[in-house]
Amino acid sequence: MMQVAGKFGIYGGQYVPETLMGALHELEESYNILKEDVSFKKEYTDILQNYVGRPTLLYKAEKLSKHLGGATILLKREDLNHTGAHKINNALGQALIARRMGKKRVVAETGAGQHGVAAATAAALLGLECVVYMGEEDIKRQALNVFRMKMLGASVTPVTSGSRTLKDATNEAIRDWVTNVRDTFYVLGSATGPHPYPTMVRDLQSIIGLEARKQALEMTGRLPDILIACVGGGSNAIGLFHPFLEDDVHMIGVEAAGKGVETSEHAATMTKGTPGVLHGTLSYLLQDENGQVAPVHSVSAGLDYPGVGPEHSFLKDSKRVEYVSVTDDEALEAFGLLTREEGIIPALESSHALAHLAKIAPQYNSDTIILLNLSGRGDKDVETVANLAGVKL
């Protein structure tokens, strides 16, 4: 095992087998060139505007603000992106990099299915072969997205090891990449993994925060007071937060407390985890006393992950960002709240951020602006919510 640069404080790095070091060096070198390349930046910007539909709206949620009786609430509508979530920003960026590097095949992991759909979409658009690894448990929870991926031409490979969720799907995607590294590019779905992935994913998702910053200034004449986003691996949150890190703005990341952080059934990595290595990076990690990765639970497949991006760990330790957790029940209540109050069905991932918003918004008056990143739409979660409510569709 090798340990080299690409750190956020003590976090990050490249804790990977020797067989992957060549691929990571090739990727880092290519990305460093492409991110400064005018033609690449133009190609990426054009595809975001003309295919994804950016910029996404910044929506003033007046009815929700009135219902909660406190702060003014703004929603960054990443759910309006093509394919229905922020994941497409990153997947298309990485697929464009893959094509520039001459790769013909991409592999990806997915939990909720939104990254898998985004990767399959990007591959279809750019003419790349695509294989998506997905835990058997998540395949059951997200059948609609599995069908979407297959329609887009991707192969969906069920993963039956471990807890049969996102962690195990990631293991299999890495194994495929190691085996086929010469012609294959790993489209990693969150700001996790070995360097340069956390930096590259953050840069590709920073379009969220850059747009939100500009739109808030145009709409209100000033920056928001508080930013809120859900955190699993943490890509939508770091994409929103990063362009505001030098500003006087309070930031809150919300993770999944599942059935409660006092139980063993949660995914509250920042609340209950300790530093450890998972999927090639050092970060906060849920692990047992022997250092084995602990099983996790969340009603949201996209937050059902025992690790978190290393930059979030640095931001937690430096106290630049506050991290909190909400339970499944609180997230489900917030899912219904936004649906009823604004006619917007949010993803269960985003519902965690909404649940914390509902807790704090009444503590302020309308002069306080809270901007929440609505990371994805909830079509994919309707069947899960119906089943939990005892409704047969």
Side-chain angles (χ1 to χ4, degrees), residues 200-221:
M200 184 170 65
V201 174
R202 178 202 68 201
D203 292 350
L204 293 169
Q205 292 291 8
S206 288
I207 186 69
I208 302 170
L210 291 169
E211 285 181 5
R213 199 175 190 287
K214 181 171 181 285
Q215 290 168 321
L217 288 169
E218 290 171 352
M219 182 184 289
T220 68

Side-chain angles (χ1 to χ4, degrees), residues 227 229-234 237-238 241-242 245 250-256 268-272 283-284 308-326 356:
L227 303 178
C230 64
V231 175
I238 202 68
F241 294 164
H242 198 260
L245 285 177
H250 184 56
M251 305 181 191
I252 305 172
V254 186
E255 58 184 5
T269 307
M270 302 289 252
T271 306
K272 302 294 285 188
S283 193
Y284 274 92
V308 66
E311 192 166 3
H312 283 292
S313 295
F314 172 73
L315 294 171
K316 171 185 164 65
D317 284 3
S318 64
K319 302 188 187 306
R320 179 63 189 91
V321 176
E322 178 188 7
Y323 292 90
V324 299
S325 59
V326 303
H356 189 69

